[in-house]
Amino acid sequence: MISVRNLRRSFGPVVAVDDISFDVQKGDVLGFLGPNGAGKSTAMKMLACFLPPDSGTATICGHDILTDPIAVRRSIGYLAENAPAYGEMTVAGFLGFVCDARQLSGAERRKALERVARLCHIESVYHQTIDTLSKGYRRRVCLASTLIHDPQVLILDEPTDGLDPNQKHEVRRLIKQMAQDKCIIVSTHILEEVEMVCNRCIIIARGKILVDSTPGELKAQYGCGLDEVFRRITTTRKSA
Amino acid sequence: MNGFWAVYKRELKGYFATPVAYVFLVIFLFFAGYLPFKQGFFEQRQADLRLFFNGLPLLYIFMVPATAMRLWAEERRTGSVELLFTLPITVTQAVVGKFLAAWSFLGIALALTFPLPVTVAYLGDPDWGVIATGYLASFLMAGGFLAIGSFFSAVSKNQVIAFILSVVACAVLVYAGLPTTLQYLSTILPPGAVAAVEGFSFQNHFDSLLRGVIEFKDIAYFVILIVGWVSACSLILDERKAN
């Protein structure tokens, strides 16, 4: 469902993403790991058609990110790193705007709103202004806006950042539950999260893919926990 | 509902969800009402709105950039631009949607000056054609200023910088066409250049409409101005949205 080919992007002299290629199939939950500044968010922004790549391309659900970005955006749900939302709006108003942009109306819209409010547990703050919400609720509202059109592909940039342990558990459970019929990419720093929800992981550093494997294989290969594997790979290896 | 309507609706509602709209309306309506009386509305003993319309460019130089400065600068500062452009909305739809929402808001502000025409109608027998073209000229001028403001709002993430650049650009376009400026320019520039400066200025086209004459060149001036600056805004935003 996602096919990335030689994607590259630099900011001035800094190469953020350096010629990465990978494929993700339906049913996969791909953990995107890497130290800060490794290029995870830049790669995800390119897949979400927010940033144009310098070279290379990707197709998502058969649509090319360069030639048909609107069709790509229609078929994905993207949760940005800092969970941006319009703070002056109420949760209901904000989700209504996302429904408008995604052309959901009538009964379909009502059902979608009920479904995401229940899934993300935001019923209690539904009529509250977003600026007055805690970080955890704000992130859940953004996650709800990502899921509203029940997309086939989900790109989630640090979805559990700022959540308390119970909320983290809920989001991970939600990702696992959705994994069966979707294709999901999750970036995270929390390695236990990778073990819990991902069936595959890519470790990226300095813009290059260092490892493309499964959490189980990595642990078996290095004979230690994922934390130690991550540390060894990102501090010693240069590229795959 | 496509991306354009989604952005338009959200933006217009957004003005009234915060104190922005109310502060703007109160200040704008106060000065729009105060300036004509200060400049001798009663003393001229004529039932027209010339003084009201003449005062609007000065008011717009400050008020319209104040409305426009947040259009894109705020989206880019808070990061919500990333949300907007990962929804199925094109840059053109978003730019035009926001521009028209802000222009509609300025139209509402202008419509709320209705007590002034009511006053002149009570006091005398005004020429309604001239008043109508005056309102048309003012609305087009607001659109022109707004297009300039939205461009500078896309240029800088900082609202203060966006505001100052827009005020300067609008002021140059207004003051370049004033008789005193043109008189001074005629001493240092050839007549052709002075005529060109006059043609580029807002004032010339605005005054022409205020006289009650709708000429193609005046309408075309405002349309080209608006389309040009809004297109430039789209281009710059597409280039800079992720910076």
Coordinates of all heavy atoms in Angstrom, one line a residue, chain A residues 154-229:
Chain A
L154 N -2.4 5.0 7.7 CA -2.2 5.9 8.8 C -0.7 6.2 9.0 O 0.1 5.3 9.0 CB -2.7 5.3 10.1 CG -4.2 5.4 10.4 CD1 -4.5 4.6 11.7 CD2 -4.6 6.8 10.6
I155 N -0.4 7.5 9.1 CA 1.0 7.9 9.4 C 0.9 8.7 10.7 O 0.4 9.8 10.7 CB 1.5 8.8 8.2 CG1 1.5 7.9 6.9 CG2 2.9 9.3 8.5 CD1 1.8 8.7 5.6
L156 N 1.5 8.2 11.7 CA 1.4 8.8 13.0 C 2.7 9.1 13.6 O 3.6 8.3 13.8 CB 0.7 7.8 14.0 CG -0.6 7.2 13.5 CD1 -1.1 6.1 14.5 CD2 -1.7 8.2 13.3
D157 N 3.0 10.4 13.7 CA 4.3 10.9 14.2 C 4.2 11.1 15.7 O 3.6 12.0 16.2 CB 4.6 12.2 13.5 CG 6.1 12.6 13.5 OD1 6.8 11.8 14.2 OD2 6.5 13.5 12.8
E158 N 4.8 10.2 16.4 CA 4.8 10.2 17.9 C 3.4 10.3 18.5 O 3.1 11.3 19.2 CB 5.8 11.2 18.4 CG 7.2 11.1 17.9 CD 8.2 11.9 18.6 OE1 7.9 12.4 19.7 OE2 9.3 12.1 18.1
P159 N 2.6 9.3 18.2 CA 1.2 9.4 18.6 C 0.9 9.4 20.2 O -0.1 9.9 20.6 CB 0.5 8.2 18.0 CG 1.6 7.2 17.8 CD 2.8 8.0 17.5
T160 N 1.9 8.8 20.9 CA 1.7 8.7 22.4 C 2.4 9.8 23.2 O 2.4 9.7 24.4 CB 2.1 7.3 22.9 OG1 3.4 7.1 22.5 CG2 1.2 6.2 22.3
D161 N 3.1 10.7 22.5 CA 3.8 11.7 23.2 C 2.9 12.6 24.0 O 1.9 13.1 23.5 CB 4.6 12.6 22.1 CG 5.5 13.6 22.7 OD1 6.1 13.3 23.7 OD2 5.5 14.8 22.2
G162 N 3.2 12.8 25.3 CA 2.4 13.6 26.1 C 1.2 13.0 26.8 O 0.5 13.6 27.5
L163 N 1.0 11.7 26.5 CA -0.1 11.0 27.1 C 0.3 10.3 28.4 O 1.5 9.9 28.6 CB -0.6 9.9 26.1 CG -1.1 10.3 24.8 CD1 -1.7 9.2 24.0 CD2 -2.1 11.4 24.9
D164 N -0.6 10.1 29.3 CA -0.3 9.4 30.6 C -0.3 7.9 30.3 O -0.7 7.5 29.2 CB -1.2 9.8 31.7 CG -2.7 9.4 31.5 OD1 -2.8 8.3 30.9 OD2 -3.6 10.1 31.9
P165 N 0.3 7.1 31.2 CA 0.4 5.7 30.9 C -0.9 5.0 30.5 O -0.9 4.1 29.6 CB 0.9 5.1 32.2 CG 1.6 6.2 32.9 CD 0.9 7.5 32.5
N166 N -2.0 5.4 31.1 CA -3.3 4.7 30.7 C -3.7 5.1 29.3 O -4.1 4.3 28.5 CB -4.4 5.2 31.7 CG -4.2 4.7 33.1 OD1 -3.5 3.7 33.2 ND2 -4.8 5.4 34.0
Q167 N -3.5 6.4 29.0 CA -3.8 6.9 27.6 C -2.9 6.2 26.6 O -3.3 5.9 25.5 CB -3.7 8.4 27.5 CG -4.7 9.1 28.4 CD -4.4 10.6 28.5 OE1 -3.3 11.0 28.2 NE2 -5.4 11.3 29.0
K168 N -1.6 6.1 27.0 CA -0.7 5.4 26.0 C -1.1 4.0 25.7 O -1.1 3.6 24.6 CB 0.7 5.4 26.7 CG 1.5 6.6 26.5 CD 2.9 6.5 27.1 CE 3.7 7.8 26.8 NZ 4.7 8.1 27.8
H169 N -1.5 3.3 26.8 CA -2.0 1.9 26.6 C -3.2 1.9 25.7 O -3.3 1.0 24.8 CB -2.4 1.4 28.0 CG -2.9 0.0 28.0 ND1 -2.1 -1.1 27.8 CD2 -4.2 -0.5 28.0 CE1 -2.9 -2.2 27.7 NE2 -4.1 -1.8 27.9
E170 N -4.1 2.9 25.9 CA -5.3 2.9 25.1 C -5.0 3.1 23.6 O -5.5 2.5 22.7 CB -6.2 4.1 25.5 CG -7.3 3.8 26.5 CD -8.1 2.7 26.0 OE1 -8.7 2.7 24.9 OE2 -8.2 1.7 26.8
V171 N -4.0 4.1 23.3 CA -3.7 4.4 21.9 C -3.0 3.2 21.3 O -3.3 2.8 20.1 CB -2.8 5.6 21.9 CG1 -2.2 5.8 20.5 CG2 -3.6 6.9 22.3
R172 N -2.1 2.5 22.1 CA -1.4 1.3 21.5 C -2.5 0.2 21.2 O -2.4 -0.4 20.2 CB -0.4 0.8 22.5 CG 0.8 1.7 22.6 CD 1.6 1.3 23.8 NE 2.6 2.3 24.0 CZ 3.3 2.4 25.2 NH1 3.0 1.6 26.2 NH2 4.2 3.4 25.3
R173 N -3.4 0.1 22.1 CA -4.5 -0.9 21.9 C -5.3 -0.6 20.6 O -5.6 -1.5 19.8 CB -5.4 -1.0 23.1 CG -6.3 -2.2 23.2 CD -7.3 -2.1 24.4 NE -8.1 -0.9 24.3 CZ -9.1 -0.7 23.5 NH1 -9.5 -1.7 22.7 NH2 -9.8 0.4 23.5
L174 N -5.5 0.7 20.4 CA -6.3 1.2 19.3 C -5.5 0.9 18.0 O -6.1 0.4 17.0 CB -6.5 2.7 19.4 CG -7.4 3.4 18.4 CD1 -8.8 2.8 18.5 CD2 -7.4 4.9 18.7
I175 N -4.2 1.2 18.0 CA -3.3 0.9 16.8 C -3.4 -0.6 16.5 O -3.5 -1.0 15.3 CB -1.9 1.4 17.1 CG1 -1.9 2.9 17.2 CG2 -1.0 1.0 15.9 CD1 -0.5 3.5 17.6
K176 N -3.2 -1.4 17.5 CA -3.2 -2.9 17.3 C -4.5 -3.3 16.7 O -4.6 -4.1 15.8 CB -3.0 -3.6 18.6 CG -1.5 -3.8 18.9 CD -1.3 -4.7 20.1 CE -0.8 -6.0 19.6 NZ -0.2 -6.8 20.7
Q177 N -5.6 -2.8 17.2 CA -7.0 -3.1 16.8 C -7.2 -2.7 15.3 O -7.8 -3.5 14.6 CB -7.9 -2.4 17.7 CG -9.4 -2.7 17.5 CD -10.2 -1.7 18.3 OE1 -9.9 -1.3 19.4 NE2 -11.3 -1.2 17.8
M178 N -6.6 -1.6 14.9 CA -6.9 -1.1 13.6 C -5.9 -1.8 12.6 O -6.1 -1.7 11.4 CB -6.6 0.4 13.5 CG -7.7 1.2 14.2 SD -7.4 3.0 14.0 CE -5.8 3.3 14.6
A179 N -4.8 -2.4 13.1 CA -3.8 -2.9 12.2 C -4.3 -3.9 11.2 O -3.7 -4.0 10.1 CB -2.7 -3.5 13.1
Q180 N -5.3 -4.7 11.6 CA -5.7 -5.8 10.7 C -6.0 -5.4 9.3 O -5.6 -6.1 8.4 CB -6.9 -6.6 11.4 CG -6.5 -7.3 12.6 CD -7.6 -7.2 13.6 OE1 -8.7 -6.8 13.3 NE2 -7.3 -7.6 14.9
D181 N -6.8 -4.3 9.2 CA -7.2 -3.9 7.8 C -6.6 -2.6 7.4 O -7.1 -2.0 6.4 CB -8.7 -3.9 7.7 CG -9.3 -3.0 8.8 OD1 -8.6 -2.6 9.7 OD2 -10.5 -2.6 8.6
K182 N -5.5 -2.2 8.0 CA -4.9 -0.9 7.6 C -3.4 -1.1 7.4 O -2.9 -2.1 7.8 CB -5.2 0.2 8.6 CG -6.6 0.6 8.7 CD -6.7 1.9 9.6 CE -8.1 2.1 10.0 NZ -9.1 2.2 9.0
C183 N -2.8 0.0 7.0 CA -1.3 0.0 6.8 C -0.9 1.2 7.7 O -1.3 2.3 7.4 CB -1.0 0.2 5.4 SG 0.6 0.6 5.0
I184 N -0.1 1.0 8.7 CA 0.2 2.0 9.7 C 1.7 2.2 9.8 O 2.5 1.3 9.9 CB -0.4 1.7 11.1 CG1 -1.9 1.4 10.9 CG2 -0.2 2.8 12.1 CD1 -2.6 0.9 12.2
I185 N 2.1 3.5 9.8 CA 3.5 3.8 10.1 C 3.5 4.7 11.4 O 2.8 5.7 11.5 CB 4.2 4.7 9.0 CG1 4.2 3.9 7.6 CG2 5.6 5.0 9.3 CD1 4.9 4.7 6.5
V186 N 4.3 4.3 12.4 CA 4.3 5.0 13.6 C 5.7 5.4 13.9 O 6.6 4.5 13.9 CB 3.8 4.1 14.8 CG1 3.8 4.8 16.1 CG2 2.5 3.4 14.5
S187 N 6.0 6.7 14.2 CA 7.3 7.0 14.6 C 7.3 7.2 16.1 O 6.3 7.6 16.7 CB 7.8 8.3 13.9 OG 7.5 9.4 14.8
T188 N 8.3 6.8 16.8 CA 8.4 6.8 18.2 C 9.8 6.8 18.8 O 10.7 6.3 18.1 CB 7.5 5.7 18.9 OG1 7.5 5.8 20.3 CG2 8.0 4.3 18.5
H189 N 9.9 7.2 20.0 CA 11.2 7.1 20.7 C 11.1 6.0 21.8 O 12.0 5.6 22.4 CB 11.5 8.4 21.5 CG 12.0 9.4 20.6 ND1 11.5 10.7 20.5 CD2 13.0 9.4 19.7 CE1 12.1 11.4 19.6 NE2 13.1 10.7 19.1
I190 N 9.8 5.6 22.0 CA 9.6 4.6 23.1 C 9.7 3.2 22.5 O 8.8 2.8 21.7 CB 8.2 4.9 23.7 CG1 8.0 6.3 24.0 CG2 8.0 4.0 24.9 CD1 6.6 6.8 24.3
L191 N 10.8 2.5 22.9 CA 11.0 1.2 22.2 C 10.1 0.1 22.7 O 9.8 -0.8 21.9 CB 12.5 0.8 22.4 CG 13.4 1.8 21.8 CD1 14.8 1.7 22.2 CD2 13.3 1.7 20.2
E192 N 9.6 0.2 23.9 CA 8.6 -0.8 24.4 C 7.3 -0.7 23.5 O 6.7 -1.7 23.3 CB 8.3 -0.6 25.8 CG 7.7 0.8 26.1 CD 7.2 1.0 27.6 OE1 6.2 0.4 28.0 OE2 7.9 1.7 28.3
E193 N 7.0 0.5 23.0 CA 5.9 0.7 22.1 C 6.1 -0.1 20.8 O 5.1 -0.7 20.3 CB 5.8 2.2 21.8 CG 4.5 2.6 21.2 CD 4.3 4.1 21.4 OE1 4.1 4.6 22.5 OE2 4.5 4.8 20.4
V194 N 7.3 -0.1 20.3 CA 7.6 -0.8 19.1 C 7.3 -2.3 19.3 O 6.7 -3.0 18.5 CB 9.0 -0.6 18.7 CG1 9.4 -1.4 17.4 CG2 9.3 0.9 18.5
E195 N 7.8 -2.8 20.5 CA 7.6 -4.3 20.8 C 6.1 -4.6 20.9 O 5.7 -5.7 20.5 CB 8.3 -4.6 22.1 CG 9.8 -4.6 22.0 CD 10.5 -5.2 23.2 OE1 10.5 -6.4 23.4 OE2 10.9 -4.3 24.0
M196 N 5.4 -3.6 21.4 CA 4.0 -3.9 21.7 C 3.1 -3.9 20.4 O 2.2 -4.7 20.3 CB 3.4 -3.0 22.7 CG 3.9 -3.3 24.1 SD 3.4 -2.0 25.3 CE 1.6 -2.4 25.4
V197 N 3.4 -2.9 19.6 CA 2.4 -2.7 18.5 C 3.0 -3.0 17.1 O 2.2 -3.2 16.1 CB 1.8 -1.3 18.4 CG1 1.1 -1.0 19.7 CG2 2.9 -0.2 18.1
C198 N 4.3 -3.0 16.9 CA 4.8 -3.1 15.5 C 5.2 -4.5 15.1 O 5.8 -5.2 15.9 CB 6.1 -2.2 15.4 SG 5.7 -0.5 15.8
N199 N 4.9 -4.9 13.9 CA 5.4 -6.2 13.4 C 6.7 -6.0 12.6 O 7.2 -6.9 12.1 CB 4.3 -6.9 12.6 CG 3.9 -6.2 11.4 OD1 4.3 -5.0 11.2 ND2 3.0 -6.8 10.6
R200 N 7.1 -4.7 12.4 CA 8.3 -4.4 11.6 C 8.9 -3.1 12.1 O 8.1 -2.3 12.6 CB 7.8 -4.3 10.2 CG 8.9 -4.6 9.2 CD 8.3 -4.5 7.8 NE 9.2 -3.6 7.0 CZ 8.9 -3.0 5.9 NH1 7.7 -3.2 5.4 NH2 9.8 -2.3 5.3
C201 N 10.2 -3.0 12.0 CA 10.7 -1.7 12.4 C 11.9 -1.3 11.5 O 12.6 -2.1 11.0 CB 11.1 -1.6 13.9 SG 12.5 -2.7 14.3
I202 N 11.9 0.0 11.2 CA 13.0 0.6 10.5 C 13.8 1.6 11.4 O 13.1 2.4 12.0 CB 12.5 1.3 9.2 CG1 12.1 0.3 8.1 CG2 13.4 2.4 8.7 CD1 11.5 0.9 6.9
I203 N 15.1 1.4 11.4 CA 15.9 2.3 12.2 C 16.6 3.3 11.3 O 17.2 2.8 10.3 CB 16.9 1.6 13.2 CG1 16.1 0.7 14.1 CG2 17.7 2.6 13.9 CD1 17.0 0.0 15.1
I204 N 16.4 4.5 11.5 CA 16.9 5.6 10.6 C 17.8 6.5 11.4 O 17.5 6.9 12.5 CB 15.8 6.3 9.9 CG1 16.2 7.4 8.9 CG2 14.7 6.8 10.8 CD1 15.1 8.0 8.1
A205 N 19.0 6.9 10.8 CA 19.8 7.9 11.5 C 20.6 8.6 10.4 O 20.9 8.1 9.4 CB 20.8 7.2 12.4
R206 N 20.7 9.9 10.6 CA 21.4 10.8 9.7 C 20.7 10.7 8.3 O 21.4 10.7 7.3 CB 22.9 10.6 9.6 CG 23.6 11.0 10.9 CD 25.1 10.7 10.9 NE 25.3 9.3 10.8 CZ 25.3 8.5 11.9 NH1 25.1 9.0 13.1 NH2 25.5 7.2 11.7
G207 N 19.4 10.4 8.2 CA 18.7 10.4 7.0 C 18.7 9.0 6.3 O 18.1 8.9 5.3
K208 N 19.5 8.1 6.7 CA 19.7 6.8 6.0 C 19.0 5.7 6.8 O 19.0 5.7 8.1 CB 21.1 6.5 5.8 CG 21.8 7.3 4.7 CD 23.2 6.8 4.5 CE 23.9 7.6 3.4 NZ 23.3 7.4 2.1
I209 N 18.5 4.7 6.1 CA 18.0 3.5 6.8 C 19.1 2.6 7.2 O 19.9 2.2 6.4 CB 17.0 2.8 5.9 CG1 15.7 3.6 5.6 CG2 16.6 1.4 6.5 CD1 14.7 3.0 4.7
L210 N 19.2 2.3 8.5 CA 20.3 1.5 9.0 C 19.8 0.0 9.1 O 20.6 -0.9 8.9 CB 20.8 2.0 10.4 CG 21.3 3.4 10.5 CD1 21.8 3.7 11.9 CD2 22.4 3.6 9.5
V211 N 18.6 -0.2 9.5 CA 18.0 -1.5 9.7 C 16.6 -1.6 9.3 O 15.8 -0.6 9.5 CB 18.1 -1.9 11.2 CG1 17.3 -3.1 11.5 CG2 19.5 -2.1 11.6
D212 N 16.2 -2.6 8.6 CA 14.8 -2.9 8.2 C 14.5 -4.3 8.6 O 14.9 -5.2 7.9 CB 14.6 -2.7 6.7 CG 13.1 -2.8 6.3 OD1 12.3 -3.2 7.2 OD2 12.8 -2.4 5.2
S213 N 13.9 -4.5 9.8 CA 13.7 -5.9 10.3 C 12.5 -5.9 11.2 O 11.6 -5.1 11.1 CB 15.0 -6.2 11.1 OG 15.0 -7.5 11.6
T214 N 12.4 -7.0 12.0 CA 11.2 -7.1 12.9 C 11.8 -6.9 14.3 O 13.0 -7.3 14.6 CB 10.5 -8.4 12.8 OG1 11.4 -9.4 13.2 CG2 10.0 -8.7 11.4
P215 N 11.0 -6.5 15.3 CA 11.6 -6.3 16.7 C 12.1 -7.7 17.2 O 13.2 -7.7 17.8 CB 10.4 -5.9 17.5 CG 9.4 -5.2 16.5 CD 9.7 -5.9 15.2
G216 N 11.4 -8.8 16.9 CA 11.8 -10.1 17.4 C 13.2 -10.5 16.8 O 14.1 -10.9 17.5
E217 N 13.3 -10.3 15.5 CA 14.6 -10.7 14.8 C 15.8 -9.9 15.4 O 16.8 -10.4 15.6 CB 14.5 -10.4 13.3 CG 13.9 -11.6 12.5 CD 13.7 -11.2 11.0 OE1 14.4 -10.3 10.6 OE2 12.9 -11.8 10.4
L218 N 15.5 -8.6 15.6 CA 16.6 -7.7 16.1 C 17.1 -8.2 17.5 O 18.3 -8.3 17.7 CB 16.1 -6.3 16.2 CG 16.1 -5.5 14.9 CD1 15.6 -4.1 15.2 CD2 17.6 -5.4 14.4
K219 N 16.1 -8.5 18.3 CA 16.4 -8.9 19.7 C 17.2 -10.3 19.6 O 18.2 -10.5 20.3 CB 15.2 -9.1 20.5 CG 14.7 -7.7 21.0 CD 13.6 -7.7 22.0 CE 12.8 -8.8 22.4 NZ 11.6 -8.5 23.1
A220 N 16.8 -11.2 18.7 CA 17.4 -12.5 18.6 C 18.8 -12.3 18.0 O 19.8 -12.9 18.5 CB 16.6 -13.4 17.7
Q221 N 19.0 -11.4 17.0 CA 20.3 -11.2 16.4 C 21.3 -10.6 17.3 O 22.5 -11.0 17.3 CB 20.0 -10.3 15.2 CG 21.2 -10.2 14.3 CD 20.9 -9.1 13.2 OE1 19.8 -8.8 12.9 NE2 22.0 -8.6 12.5
Y222 N 20.9 -9.6 18.1 CA 21.8 -9.0 19.0 C 21.9 -9.6 20.4 O 22.8 -9.2 21.2 CB 21.5 -7.5 19.1 CG 21.9 -6.7 17.9 CD1 21.0 -6.7 16.8 CD2 23.1 -6.0 17.8 CE1 21.4 -6.0 15.6 CE2 23.5 -5.3 16.7 CZ 22.6 -5.3 15.6 OH 23.0 -4.6 14.5
G223 N 20.9 -10.4 20.7 CA 20.9 -11.1 22.0 C 20.7 -10.1 23.2 O 21.2 -10.3 24.3
C224 N 20.0 -9.0 23.0 CA 19.7 -8.1 24.1 C 18.4 -7.4 23.8 O 17.7 -7.7 22.8 CB 20.8 -7.1 24.2 SG 21.1 -6.2 22.6
G225 N 18.0 -6.5 24.7 CA 16.7 -5.8 24.6 C 16.8 -4.7 23.4 O 17.9 -4.4 23.0
L226 N 15.6 -4.3 23.0 CA 15.5 -3.3 21.9 C 16.3 -2.0 22.2 O 16.9 -1.4 21.3 CB 14.1 -3.0 21.5 CG 13.4 -3.8 20.4 CD1 12.1 -3.2 20.1 CD2 14.3 -3.9 19.2
D227 N 16.2 -1.6 23.5 CA 17.0 -0.3 23.9 C 18.4 -0.4 23.5 O 19.0 0.5 22.9 CB 16.8 -0.1 25.4 CG 15.5 0.6 25.7 OD1 14.8 0.9 24.8 OD2 15.3 0.8 26.9
E228 N 19.0 -1.6 23.9 CA 20.4 -1.8 23.7 C 20.7 -1.9 22.2 O 21.7 -1.4 21.6 CB 20.9 -3.1 24.4 CG 22.3 -3.4 24.4 CD 23.3 -2.3 24.9 OE1 22.8 -1.5 25.7 OE2 24.4 -2.3 24.5
V229 N 19.8 -2.6 21.5 CA 20.0 -2.8 20.0 C 20.0 -1.4 19.3 O 20.8 -1.1 18.5 CB 18.8 -3.6 19.4 CG1 18.9 -3.7 17.9 CG2 18.8 -5.1 20.0

